[in-house]
Amino acid sequence: MTNTDITFPEGFLWGAATAAYQIEGAAHEDGRQDSIWDVFSREPGAVADAHNGDIACDHYHRSADDVALMKQLNLQAYRFSTSWARCMPDGVTPNIEGIEFYSRLVDQLVAAGIKPWLTLYHWDLPQALEEQGGWANRDTAYRFAEYAAVLHEALGDRVRIWTTLNEPWCSAFLGYAAGIHAPGRQDPRAALAAAHHLLLGHGLAAQELRRRDPAAQLGLTLNLTVPDPVDPDSDADVDAARRIDGQFNRIFLDPVFRGQYPQDVLDDVRHLGLEDFIHDGDLAVISEPLDLLGVNYYHGEAVTTSVDPASDDGGHAPQGRPVASPYVAADGVRSAPRGLPVTGMGWEVQPDGLRRLLVRIHEEYTGPAGIPVYVTENGAAYDDVPDGSGFVDDQDRLAYFDSHLRAVRAAIDDGADVRGYLAWSFLDNFEWAWGYHQRFGLVRVDYDTQQRTPKASALWYARAAAANALRTPGPVHQVGPGPAEAVTGPGDTVLATSR
């Protein structure tokens, strides 16, 4: 870690994030029916070791204890997602028992003084809607707006921050083009239809929420990358970076903030017919003004057309089924390693990419729109090794958070209006196609016993949140009697704090 104290602006928001399918479990309780991830995880080879989210972290039954632990860790905000398959199992009919779970969760958060930050969609489309075409079907966008209305009717009196979609790039291109994520399709044209209909659904939901509650804070969360050409003097590599930027970042940013798709992206994908899905008035809906943008960042990438394909595994899970490229019009473009440290996922650790990204987004998109940015996900998976008590001295993750928070502060110093940071993730959880093989949590979950144990990074993060600052620390570690105290958390959670 850097041994320099830094302080964040007054009011900077510290929190953590999760997603419904990754933590809740209770897959078929209280009226919940299959989402596309329930079905996809049962397909041979789709998820490492055939793991699934049937139990996950059992948060559905442990939410009160989990919220109490959040409070002990000084979290000011908790970004969670509601499961469409739990709230409206067939995609259209409200399920009161499922919705009441989130009402209880919101009440628990409010009582603990933690700001509820609700994400309507984090990839768990009801399977019933996928069987009608999923996001490749325009009708799904209208069903999504109806879902937003149902959730606001139930929770809008207490939830003040609403995110429509989480990472629509993953939903559209990993799900419909690459087959890496649910629903596991490999159809580039369907992926472009899904991308447009996700954006349309976002706009329709934002309009519905705005109509119901003009004072609500409305946002969209995008995962964004920083593509650099491996050889800046190579026209092919420069064009590769342009294509990735277009098909990862600008295909979502430009419609939302400028009311139009980038012309170069339209040209790149013309043979796949993106424009066939764009109806009159769509872009006006999609560009409904927002109150904030959520940015998820994990790593940038150096791209080229000349790297040996065998040297680029893309950080993908060891799935036992063939997958394709998510970049529907970037044939031959691959990432090349740069000799940077990597996480357990094989992702490069590049904190300055976050600084560059936040400054760019502010200068080109959110600044002209007059809205702030929040880092709504940032974190790292590592091969955690617990001691006999389950404690993880995860100095690598701690250093990751430290370096990226310093990058956020540097972006603020460079003029970016960044108002908060939500660590991914509060808990170890089901990591999509990786199953339970990758751990991102501040808090370790023993999946056999469901015991929660805050890691060294959690204790460090709690101290940073309390101080609104990164201090030059002594070591953060689990301790016994003497120079520190052990605090027993709720249920079977064990919390240790350094003095």
Side-chain angles (χ1 to χ4, degrees), residues 384-449:
D384 294 342
V385 180
D387 66 15
S389 69
F391 181 75
V392 175
D393 187 18
D394 58 338
Q395 295 298 315
D396 39 14
R397 183 177 292 103
L398 192 158
Y400 181 100
F401 283 128
D402 180 85
S403 64
H404 284 77
L405 277 159
R406 291 175 187 277
V408 171
R409 176 72 244 199
I412 295 171
D413 292 340
D414 288 343
D417 184 6
V418 186
R419 303 278 182 91
Y421 179 95
L422 290 87
W424 185 269
S425 175
F426 170 56
L427 299 172
D428 289 339
N429 54 50
F430 176 84
E431 186 46 44
W432 307 115
W434 285 93
Y436 296 98
H437 290 287
Q438 298 290 343
R439 293 176 176 266
F440 276 87
L442 289 163
V443 175
R444 183 177 188 273
V445 177
D446 182 319
Y447 296 118
D448 292 327
T449 66

Side-chain angles (χ1 to χ4, degrees), residues 275-436:
E275 290 168 286
D276 295 343
F277 307 113
I278 305 170
H279 294 194
D280 289 346
D282 282 4
L283 288 162
V285 174
I286 290 167
S287 57
E288 172 75 17
L290 298 177
D291 301 301
L292 60 94
L293 177 70
V295 170
N296 293 357
Y297 173 87
Y298 291 94
H299 61 92
E301 50 202 320
V303 296
T304 182
T305 58
S306 61
V307 71
D308 178 358
S311 69
D312 172 34
D313 67 7
H316 298 317
Q319 293 168 292
R321 63 199 295 271
V323 297
S325 170
Y327 300 109
V328 297
D331 293 342
V333 175
R334 300 189 180 276
S335 297
R338 290 178 280 194
L340 297 173
V342 297
T343 70
M345 302 276 279
W347 295 348
E348 292 185 334
V349 178
Q350 189 199 14
D352 193 58
L354 178 57
R355 180 195 64 80
R356 292 166 55 198
L357 175 63
L358 293 171
V359 171
R360 176 198 178 185
I361 295 304
H362 173 79
E363 292 178 349
E364 297 184 18
Y365 296 101
T366 55
I371 66 172
V373 166
Y374 289 79
V375 176
T376 41
E377 287 183 28
N378 180 238
Y382 287 102
D383 295 329
D384 294 342
V385 180
D387 66 15
S389 69
F391 181 75
V392 175
D393 187 18
D394 58 338
Q395 295 298 315
D396 39 14
R397 183 177 292 103
L398 192 158
Y400 181 100
F401 283 128
D402 180 85
S403 64
H404 284 77
L405 277 159
R406 291 175 187 277
V408 171
R409 176 72 244 199
I412 295 171
D413 292 340
D414 288 343
D417 184 6
V418 186
R419 303 278 182 91
Y421 179 95
L422 290 87
W424 185 269
S425 175
F426 170 56
L427 299 172
D428 289 339
N429 54 50
F430 176 84
E431 186 46 44
W432 307 115
W434 285 93
Y436 296 98

Side-chain angles (χ1 to χ4, degrees), residues 52 67-68 175 191 193 206 212 273 335 370 434 441 478 487 498:
N52 59 58
V67 171
R212 289 172 162 270
S335 297
W434 285 93
Q478 189 185 39
V487 180
S498 297

Side-chain angles (χ1 to χ4, degrees), residues 111-136:
I114 299 169
K115 190 184 299 290
W117 185 318
L118 190 154
T119 297
L120 285 165
Y121 187 72
H122 198 132
W123 309 354
D124 47 1
L125 185 72
Q127 178 64 20
L129 292 182
E130 175 59 26
E131 290 171 1
Q132 298 172 37
W135 285 109

Side-chain angles (χ1 to χ4, degrees), residues 84 121 125 130 133-137 140-141 144 165 176 193-194 197-198 201:
W84 194 348
Y121 187 72
L125 185 72
E130 175 59 26
W135 285 109
N137 179 358
T140 301
F144 182 66
L165 306 174
Y176 288 83
H197 297 151
L198 281 154

Side-chain angles (χ1 to χ4, degrees), residues 57-59 61-73 389-391 426-428 442-446 449-455 458-459 478 485-497:
C57 305
D58 197 32
H59 174 72
H61 300 111
R62 298 168 181 262
S63 64
D65 288 353
D66 286 341
V67 171
L69 180 54
M70 294 175 205
K71 183 175 182 178
Q72 292 184 52
L73 293 176
S389 69
F391 181 75
F426 170 56
L427 299 172
D428 289 339
L442 289 163
V443 175
R444 183 177 188 273
V445 177
D446 182 319
T449 66
Q450 293 296 338
Q451 178 172 304
R452 275 78 157 135
T453 307
K455 304 173 189 177
L459 308 183
Q478 189 185 39
E485 60 184 356
V487 180
T488 301
D492 52 8
T493 298
V494 178
L495 176 63
T497 57

